[in-house]
């Protein structure tokens, strides 16, 4: 599999992908298998192999678009977010949102200001932990990875519109969760 | 205004990384301790137990209770021994690795790099190629020689978020703890071979970690270091103010 991945990666990023594979491939498999098993899938190990392979392949193919912070311990979090996305895709957790359900968009600046991170850092961390994976994944790539919507769509293999929707929803859900915890 | 927005963005990125890292690690550890086969065995065990007589069940429960208490006492003892010895511990087989995050130490340790640890003693022929900074709490220096062999040194603030997510993978690495001149080290040999595509080859490297209460420090080297070399390396680290 590694040979296949490296053939999909540009020369500059081969080391990064190889390091990711060597360090976290087995952990990623266990992680994905546990998600499928929890969803009651009998073929969890096979599904996990497919999901992990897809996640690695997408990372390898888009390695040149990845943020520089992909090095080091952060890379495990980024990799697992991609695996989570692949698992969700297989389990078809994605629910198509009708236009009526779309939340009003909120700009990044306003969103960050409303979070009041300095005062409520711990509360925000807890709210992110509780957030559904499909929302936290796009937040991670957008805010921590600094990727554009188009790049996130390419990386996760979903439509640009879906990324926009998930980002808008994620922001609303996070603000609501923090507000509810404060009350 | 723009600076405040940038600060908020950085802080939010940290919150995201911390939350998701914690969430994934928790999911991973529960995946390792509670595999589907364990669930199956638990079910079988329950079926067998139901068939036993009431008297036998009582005796079994008493025995289980005693065993649990014994286990609890053993765990407490093991924890105390580890706490006395230092930061690292490995299981007998050298595969499982633990780094102890004592809450008091963690609170007292710096959350960001307050000074830089710069290695002065390096293996012959190695020249610094790169410095990689992650947020404000960790840095990796990469050295290479003419043959392309690598040597890395990293410094991670013990109280920072990178320290929290710092995991010691044991998938392909065998670990042992050793003490050299009073300094505790966690030494690992990473030995990886791609079972499917042998053309990738056989990759071996060596990793050494130690902690001074403020920072988690590590060396990654393509060749093993002798105890003398390791002690010399640690002795000759220069602390440079930020």
């Amino acid at each position: 599999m590694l040979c296949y991945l490296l053939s999909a990666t540009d020369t500059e990023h081969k080391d990064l992908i190889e390091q990711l594979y060597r360090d976290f491939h087995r952990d990623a498999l266990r992680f994905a298998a546990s998600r499928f098993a929890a969803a009651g899938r009998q073929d969890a190990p096979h599904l996990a192999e497919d999901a992990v392979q897809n996640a690695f392949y997408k990372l390898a193919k888009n390695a040149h678009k990845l943020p520089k912070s992909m090095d080091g311990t952060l890379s495990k979090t980024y990799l697992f977010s991609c695996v989570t996305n692949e698992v969700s895709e297989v389990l078809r957790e994605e629910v198509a949102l009708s236009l009526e359900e779309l939340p009003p968009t909120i700009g990044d600046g306003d969103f960050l200001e409303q979070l009041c991170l300095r005062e409520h850092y711990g509360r925000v961390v807890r709210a992110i932990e509780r957030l559904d994976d499909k929302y936290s994944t796009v937040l991670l790539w957008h805010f921590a990875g600094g990727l554009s919507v188009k790049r996130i769509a390419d990386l996760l293999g979903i439509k640009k519109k879906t990324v926009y929707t998930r980002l808008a929803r994620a922001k609303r859900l996070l603000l609501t969760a923090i507000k509810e915890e404060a009350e | 205004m723009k600076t405040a927005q940038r600060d908020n963005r950085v802080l939010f990125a940290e919150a995201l990384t911390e939350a998701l890292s914690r969430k994934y690690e928790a999911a991973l550890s529960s995946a390792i301790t509670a595999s589907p086969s364990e669930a199956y065995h638990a079910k079988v065990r329950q079926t067998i137990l139901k068939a036993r007589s009431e008297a036998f069940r009582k005796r079994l429960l008493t025995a289980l209770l005693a065993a649990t208490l014994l286990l609890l006492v053993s765990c407490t003892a093991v924890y105390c021994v580890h706490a006395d010895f230092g930061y690292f511990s490995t299981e007998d087989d050298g595969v499982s690795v633990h780094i102890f995050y004592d809450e008091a130490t963690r609170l007292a340790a710096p959350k960001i790099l307050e000074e830089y640890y710069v290695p002065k003693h390096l293996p012959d022929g190695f020249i610094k190629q790169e410095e990689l900074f992650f947020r404000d709490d960790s840095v990796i220096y990469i050295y290479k020689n003419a043959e392309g062999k690598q040597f890395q040194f990293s410094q991670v603030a013990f109280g920072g978020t990178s320290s929290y997510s710092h995991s010691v993978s044991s998938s392909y690495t065998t670990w042992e703890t050793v003490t050299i001149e009073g300094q505790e080290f966690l030494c690992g040999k990473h030995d990886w071979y791609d079972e499917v595509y042998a053309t990738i080859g056989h990759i071996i490297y060596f990793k050494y970690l130690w902690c001074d209460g403020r920072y988690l420090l590590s060396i990654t080297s393509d060749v093993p270091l002798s105890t003398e070399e390791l002690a010399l390396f640690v002795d000759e680290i220069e602390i440079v103010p930020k």
Side-chain angles (χ1 to χ4, degrees):
Chain A
M1 180 179 156
L2 182 61
C3 191
Y4 169 62
L5 289 174
L6 292 179
S7 67
T9 318
D10 58 286
T11 319
E12 201 183 327
H13 295 89
K14 283 192 195 305
D15 286 350
L16 170 68
I17 298 299
E18 190 177 330
Q19 184 79 25
L20 264 179
Y21 183 86
R22 278 195 276 122
D23 287 350
F24 305 125
H25 177 248
R26 283 193 184 182
D27 283 350
L29 273 179
R30 284 194 199 112
F31 175 75
S34 73
R35 289 283 166 107
F36 284 120
R41 299 295 294 256
Q42 296 291 321
D43 48 351
H46 300 296
L47 289 171
E49 273 183 30
D50 288 346
V52 170
Q53 182 165 331
N54 283 345
F56 267 107
Y57 181 69
K58 283 176 184 171
L59 276 175
K61 208 176 164 191
N62 292 284
H64 60 289
K65 296 178 184 172
L66 298 174
K68 285 180 182 168
S69 59
M70 272 295 289
D71 299 292
T73 51
L74 270 179
S75 54
K76 187 174 182 183
T77 307
Y78 283 123
L79 168 67
F80 275 43
S81 76
C82 285
V83 173
T84 302
N85 180 68
E86 291 300 323
V87 172
S88 301
E89 289 296 315
V90 174
L91 294 175
R92 298 184 188 284
E93 284 176 357
E94 179 65 32
V95 179
L97 296 170
S98 68
L99 283 173
E100 288 74 23
E101 284 178 312
L102 282 176
T105 50
I106 175 170
D108 287 354
D110 288 342
F111 165 67
L112 292 171
E113 208 169 298
Q114 285 181 41
L115 280 179
C116 301
L117 273 157
R118 293 200 184 284
E119 295 83 19
H120 308 308
Y121 183 82
R123 203 177 280 172
V124 174
V125 170
R126 285 194 296 278
I128 296 168
E129 275 186 80
R130 288 196 300 270
L131 207 58
D132 191 288
D133 288 328
K134 60 176 175 264
Y135 298 127
S136 53
T137 301
V138 290
L139 283 180
L140 178 78
W141 284 105
H142 182 61
F143 286 99
L147 296 195
S148 66
V149 167
K150 187 181 179 312
R151 282 187 174 189
I152 299 171
D154 288 345
L155 186 73
L156 300 180
I158 53 180
K159 290 178 186 168
K160 261 169 72 177
K161 191 179 160 191
T162 311
V163 179
Y164 275 119
T165 309
R166 286 187 188 179
L167 269 176
R169 263 212 153 198
K171 288 176 189 172
R172 286 286 167 202
L173 286 169
L174 207 54
L175 287 173
T176 310
I178 290 160
K179 199 176 162 191
E180 280 173 3
E181 196 180 321
E183 287 166 3
Chain B
M1 186 68 181
K2 277 188 176 174
T3 312
Q5 274 187 8
R6 199 165 48 241
D7 286 351
N8 269 340
R9 209 179 173 93
V10 170
L11 207 57
F12 186 53
E14 278 183 21
L16 278 164
T17 313
E18 185 179 338
L20 293 181
S21 165
R22 198 187 293 177
K23 188 175 176 179
Y24 296 149
E25 287 301 333
L28 190 59
S29 58
S30 66
I32 293 164
T33 54
S35 65
S37 65
E38 275 180 280
Y40 172 76
H41 288 306
K43 201 173 175 183
V44 172
R45 195 163 58 241
Q46 201 177 17
T47 314
I48 295 168
L49 280 176
K50 273 184 184 172
R52 307 277 170 150
S53 69
E54 190 63 30
F56 179 77
R57 197 179 296 169
K58 275 183 185 171
R59 283 207 305 277
L60 188 65
L61 281 172
T62 314
L64 280 173
L65 189 66
T68 309
L69 280 171
L70 206 61
L71 188 67
L72 200 64
V73 171
S74 310
C75 287
T76 312
V78 168
Y79 177 79
C80 292
V81 169
H82 283 156
D84 284 347
F85 277 157
Y87 297 100
F88 309 115
S89 83
T90 58
E91 300 298 328
D92 289 341
D93 58 3
V95 174
S96 302
V97 179
H98 306 283
I99 298 182
F100 289 101
Y101 292 104
D102 169 63
E103 198 55 26
T105 311
R106 190 175 162 78
L107 287 173
K111 291 189 170 32
I112 58 166
L113 299 178
E114 292 177 352
E115 58 268 296
Y116 298 119
Y117 285 35
V118 180
K120 289 292 162 196
H121 171 78
L122 293 169
D124 287 341
F126 280 81
I127 298 167
K128 194 198 285 181
Q129 302 283 326
E130 269 185 282
E131 285 183 5
L132 303 171
F133 287 87
F134 306 110
R135 291 172 294 210
D136 289 332
D137 62 5
S138 54
V139 60
I140 297 177
Y141 302 129
I142 300 176
Y143 306 85
K144 283 185 183 171
N145 69 4
E147 295 165 10
K149 296 269 182 200
Q150 269 208 33
F151 183 84
Q152 293 182 10
F153 171 72
S154 81
Q155 178 193 357
V156 181
F158 207 49
T161 47
S162 289
S163 161
Y164 176 82
S165 57
H166 187 100
S167 56
V168 178
S169 173
S170 55
S171 299
Y172 300 95
T173 311
T174 312
W175 297 96
E176 61 170 338
T177 52
V178 295
T179 303
I180 304 167
E181 295 178 9
Q183 174 69 59
E184 182 200 23
F185 289 91
L186 182 66
C187 307
K189 182 183 177 186
H190 182 98
D191 191 342
W192 175 82
Y193 184 80
D194 192 302
E195 297 91 343
V196 183
Y197 296 100
T199 48
I200 298 299
H202 195 175
I203 295 173
I204 297 177
Y205 64 82
F206 300 84
K207 194 149 184 149
Y208 305 89
L209 288 99
W210 71 101
C211 185
D212 67 352
R214 290 170 58 75
Y215 299 103
L216 191 62
L217 304 147
S218 77
I219 296 171
T220 308
S221 168
D222 285 344
V223 291
L225 299 180
S226 66
T227 53
E228 292 79 15
E229 221 172 346
L230 199 55
L232 191 61
F233 184 93
V234 176
D235 283 346
E236 296 201 6
I237 281 178
E238 186 186 356
I239 298 177
V240 179
K242 201 171 177 183

